Amino acid sequence: MRPGQRNASIASVAPQPLTRSHSIQMADWIYGSIAAIATGALLFALVPHQMYFHDEGQYAQGAERILLGELPHRDFHEMYTGGLAYLNALVFQVAGHRLDMLRYALVLLAIPVSVVSYHLLRGLKLSPWAACVLTVALFSTSLGTMHAPWANSYLMLFTLLAIAALLQDAKSPHLGWVLAAGICCGLAIAVKVTGLYTLAAIGLSLTYRGDPASPQVYPDLDFRPLSGAVWIERLWRGALALLMIALAVVLIRQHLSIHSFMYFVLPIAFAALTLVSSGGRLSWSMFGRYAVLGFGTAFPIALLLTPWLLEGAIQDFWHGVFELPRLRIGTTYYPPPPATGLLIAIPTVCCFLPIRHPWAPGVRITGLLILTSLMLYGLGDKSPSGFHTDGLLTAMSAWRWVLPIISAITCVVLTRSPQAPLSHRVGLYCLTICAACFSLNQYPFAQPIYFFFCVPLVILAAVALSLFDPSLPETTAAPGPRAMVHTGTGAVIVLAAFCLLRFGIDGTYGEFFESVGQRRQVYLSGIAVPAVYASGYNRLRELADEVLSEDQTVLAGPDCPHIYFLTGRRNPTPYMYDIFVTDPEYFSQLIELAHSDQVGMVIISRAPEFSPVWPQELVLKIAEAFSYAEEFERFIVLTKRAPASRP
């Protein structure tokens, strides 16, 4: 060996300094873990807060009926596809019949999804600290606000997983990612049939992505004659776009107005226009990718259909999943916010503007200050009107009308940026179309609470728009202009704080609890409720145990699915809510049940949540079979045997 010459074998094993990629990976591990731990800690801490009696009672009753051998859609009215009912039944079987167990199951799924969400944000070229903060804020504004194990909560989580899989395919094309996206879509549909909106959005994103083997873009500004193949591509994209817009219009046709069109259809229309005007090239191999997506979607649905196939009850499944929901649309409707909210949403949009001019930071900071003022206004207005206070509606409009605006801006940005890396364009388009389609879950009951499930997707679309820069190369890790990152993150933090203080901690009806002097000190099925509510439901349970034999049950209504779970008695009818009953002989059936030996106690709600109160003639005919009556809180209780105790 010559002097000064190094041994190659020694050099190969010499310690190497950490590269920038190693530092980034380590930072992702640290910040991703922090995001998961913080999200899990927050959601676990909020589990005991705020019981939603009707909804959680409905979930619990469906789970118990499955454990008793009943089949959803055949033996009882299941409000959703059926997958969530089987999941809840499994949770009850493993962890016990407590409502908080259903919430813990949701949190256990949310924690790994938070990790996926963190990496999804990092894929948008967001810095690690900002991605960590935004991840915690995303779940604070959704699951941290609505604690119950809602079907829409699971739908949101599976949608986030489908988006993450598709965006990973956009970066490193592989059919495995398309298959994973399809499986997530199938799981979403298995929870709620509106998971079809997620499937449609993922399919359109695949079309926008185009053939991975042909990443070239359309000559959008070139007026030379196009080839026949390109014309076919244009027609295919145009047909899909028109179909999507038409389906959205048909969905809301019963309540079509200028407000509903702008709120529900306009974001989809802008995304459809973007699909036609830009995107990757298509080829016949795309149909193979569609087939893989369809196969992945069909797999969970096929597993779910097994009980109905074995029982020969597919017709009942079809009727419960597709026909009854159409009838329910006409019975429950809450209009979207008025279109004047577009003006209120402008300050929020300013926080995410993808403009790089000297005056842009000032506009973003001004928007953030105005948005903070609106949130404080909503936070301070605690008049006992639930969701209908002026302050609350104004604060919510600042976010609820963001999606139509950013959809329009996204359409313009993507159409004018054909030279941008395709993976960047696919990320922005996918998040926008998924948010637009997912917002349809608010129809037909567009109360503010249902927007909370859409918030994470709206925020992701806004963040992707704010960080979109056509000049950035494919592999850059630049987090974007500092002022843009700070104002966008600040806007989300303000929303998260507003949601937690107004809904998550105090609860949706916290102002009512305070007005009657009740604090959350009494636990019912693992969840803290006002003492006045807990004493009432405990009294119902005591009465049921005193006057009913083991083979007798109660008859409760209208809209009392939670009564059966809280009293530990079986529902003798197949219905959850009276408002959704289509049988003209329903009242006759109630009278017959009340006069039978099967029912020994009737609980009548004087203030049902959705349905009208029972007619007086119906109550009188039911009362003929009972000898004792007791009235307290919101209920009239009729019993055939005299109770041993009095409240």
Side-chain angles (χ1 to χ4, degrees):
M1 181 182 302
R2 298 177 184 176
Q5 183 180 0
R6 299 181 60 187
N7 190 313
S9 61
I10 297 177
S12 63
V13 298
Q16 301 293 325
L18 288 176
T19 64
R20 177 174 173 79
S21 62
H22 291 154
S23 300
I24 293 176
Q25 291 177 3
M26 185 174 296
D28 282 336
W29 273 103
I30 295 174
Y31 282 102
S33 300
I34 293 174
I37 293 172
T39 300
L42 174 66
L43 297 182
F44 274 119
L46 292 174
V47 161
H49 290 264
Q50 178 82 23
M51 178 183 290
Y52 297 87
F53 292 95
H54 297 83
D55 298 277
E56 296 190 80
Q58 165 201 320
Y59 298 142
Q61 184 186 150
E64 289 192 326
R65 296 181 81 146
I66 288 176
L67 292 177
L68 290 172
E70 296 188 27
L71 186 65
H73 304 300
R74 185 192 67 181
D75 301 321
F76 65 93
H77 275 200
E78 164 60 29
M79 303 299 294
Y80 307 109
T81 312
L84 181 58
Y86 278 99
L87 174 63
N88 291 336
L90 177 63
V91 173
F92 274 179
Q93 184 73 23
V94 173
H97 292 224
R98 288 164 50 105
L99 292 180
D100 59 341
M101 294 297 108
L102 302 182
R103 296 185 173 200
Y104 284 122
L106 175 64
V107 174
L108 290 178
L109 175 61
I111 292 174
V113 177
S114 68
V115 178
V116 174
S117 301
Y118 168 82
H119 289 284
L120 195 157
L121 287 165
R122 287 286 291 125
L124 298 177
K125 311 306 178 185
L126 204 62
S127 60
W129 73 265
C132 177
V133 172
L134 283 177
T135 299
V136 179
L138 288 180
F139 288 88
S140 300
T141 56
S142 52
L143 303 187
T145 302
M146 309 301 292
H147 316 313
W150 309 79
N152 282 352
S153 297
Y154 284 96
L155 193 60
M156 178 200 71
L157 295 179
F158 289 131
T159 299
L160 289 174
L161 292 176
I163 292 172
L166 191 70
L167 295 190
Q168 187 62 36
D169 174 71
K171 295 177 182 178
S172 54
H174 193 281
L175 289 179
W177 293 116
V178 180
L179 179 65
I183 292 174
C184 294
C185 291
L187 291 172
I189 297 171
V191 168
K192 191 176 181 181
V193 70
T194 54
L196 289 169
Y197 305 154
T198 297
L199 176 62
I202 295 298
L204 291 177
S205 299
L206 267 183
T207 304
Y208 185 88
R209 168 68 177 88
D211 184 3
S214 303
Q216 62 268 29
V217 298
Y218 288 127
D220 294 295
L221 303 179
D222 191 346
F223 295 96
R224 292 177 298 176
L226 301 176
S227 65
V230 174
W231 275 112
I232 293 175
E233 295 176 26
R234 297 282 191 176
L235 290 175
W236 173 248
R237 293 175 183 271
L240 290 178
L242 290 176
L243 177 63
M244 197 64 195
I245 297 173
L247 289 176
V249 173
V250 169
L251 176 68
I252 68 170
R253 67 187 183 280
Q254 294 187 31
H255 309 100
L256 187 61
S257 65
I258 183 64
H259 301 298
S260 61
F261 181 86
M262 294 179 66
Y263 191 75
F264 292 115
V265 181
L266 204 58
I268 294 176
F270 282 122
L273 180 61
T274 307
L275 178 69
V276 176
S277 60
S278 65
R281 296 295 302 272
L282 301 179
S283 68
W284 291 108
S285 65
M286 281 297 301
F287 289 95
R289 298 174 70 79
Y290 293 143
V292 172
L293 179 68
F295 177 80
T297 303
F299 181 70
I301 298 176
L303 291 179
L304 175 66
L305 286 174
T306 302
W308 287 272
L309 289 171
L310 294 177
E311 295 290 333
I314 288 296
Q315 186 175 357
D316 295 316
F317 178 86
W318 179 269
H319 179 73
V321 173
F322 295 103
E323 295 181 10
L324 280 182
R326 289 192 293 107
L327 300 176
R328 293 167 185 160
I329 287 178
T331 58
T332 56
Y333 177 68
Y334 190 92
T340 52
L342 285 168
L343 298 176
I344 304 175
I346 290 177
T348 308
V349 176
C350 288
C351 298
F352 299 95
L353 277 181
I355 299 176
R356 291 159 176 81
H357 289 289
W359 48 264
V363 172
R364 297 190 189 99
I365 294 174
T366 302
L368 179 59
L369 293 175
I370 297 176
L371 174 63
T372 303
S373 301
L374 291 173
M375 295 293 108
L376 291 174
Y377 174 48
L379 200 60
D381 189 357
K382 287 195 173 184
S383 56
S385 303
F387 281 112
H388 305 284
T389 65
D390 292 337
L392 180 59
L393 293 176
T394 300
M396 292 301 298
S397 292
W399 281 93
R400 297 185 72 185
W401 280 102
V402 166
L403 184 57
I405 301 176
I406 65 172
S407 297
I409 298 175
T410 297
C411 179
V412 174
V413 168
L414 289 178
T415 302
R416 298 180 60 182
S417 306
Q419 77 284 0
L422 188 58
S423 65
H424 293 183
R425 289 186 286 129
V426 171
L428 176 56
Y429 180 82
C430 178
L431 290 169
T432 304
I433 186 61
C434 285
C437 290
F438 195 88
S439 69
L440 291 174
N441 283 284
Q442 300 175 81
Y443 181 81
F445 207 65
Q447 272 206 351
I449 59 173
Y450 290 97
F451 175 71
F452 290 125
F453 304 109
C454 306
V455 166
L457 297 174
V458 173
I459 291 175
L460 287 172
V463 170
L465 176 63
S466 69
L467 296 176
F468 184 79
D469 187 350
S471 63
L472 289 179
E474 184 85 25
T475 57
T476 184
R482 186 177 300 273
M484 184 188 306
V485 174
H486 287 178
T487 55
T489 305
V492 178
I493 292 175
V494 168
L495 175 64
F498 169 79
C499 291
L500 288 175
L501 294 174
R502 189 65 170 82
F503 305 102
I505 298 174
D506 272 349
T508 307
Y509 305 103
E511 64 278 357
F512 170 75
F513 296 152
E514 292 177 2
S515 67
V516 297
Q518 298 294 333
R519 303 304 300 173
R520 298 164 180 272
Q521 298 174 346
V522 180
Y523 283 82
L524 196 64
S525 194
I527 301 175
V529 298
V532 63
Y533 280 11
S535 62
Y537 289 115
N538 286 332
R539 176 59 183 163
L540 292 178
R541 181 67 179 251
E542 292 174 1
L543 281 174
D545 292 340
E546 289 177 8
V547 305
L548 299 180
S549 61
E550 291 185 0
D551 57 347
Q552 282 186 318
T553 186
V554 302
L555 178 64
D559 300 348
C560 294
H562 55 299
I563 293 294
Y564 299 101
F565 176 77
L566 294 176
T567 58
R569 300 290 169 167
R570 190 170 185 173
N571 186 351
T573 76
Y575 308 113
M576 299 283 186
Y577 297 97
D578 290 33
I579 195 172
F580 298 139
V581 177
T582 57
D583 189 347
E585 301 296 324
Y586 176 58
F587 285 168
S588 299
Q589 295 172 8
L590 293 180
I591 295 172
E592 182 179 351
L593 280 170
H595 286 258
S596 68
D597 294 334
Q598 180 185 3
V599 174
M601 178 176 170
V602 172
I603 302 172
I604 303 174
S605 173
R606 296 183 298 177
E609 187 77 11
F610 306 107
S611 307
V613 296
W614 282 351
Q616 185 176 4
E617 55 270 22
L618 172 63
V619 175
L620 291 176
K621 289 183 178 180
I622 290 176
E624 293 174 357
F626 296 84
S627 304
Y628 303 91
E630 184 174 319
E631 185 174 340
F632 61 93
E633 297 302 331
R634 299 172 297 156
F635 303 105
I636 299 174
V637 182
L638 306 176
T639 62
K640 293 180 178 178
R641 293 171 51 190
S645 60
R646 291 288 178 178

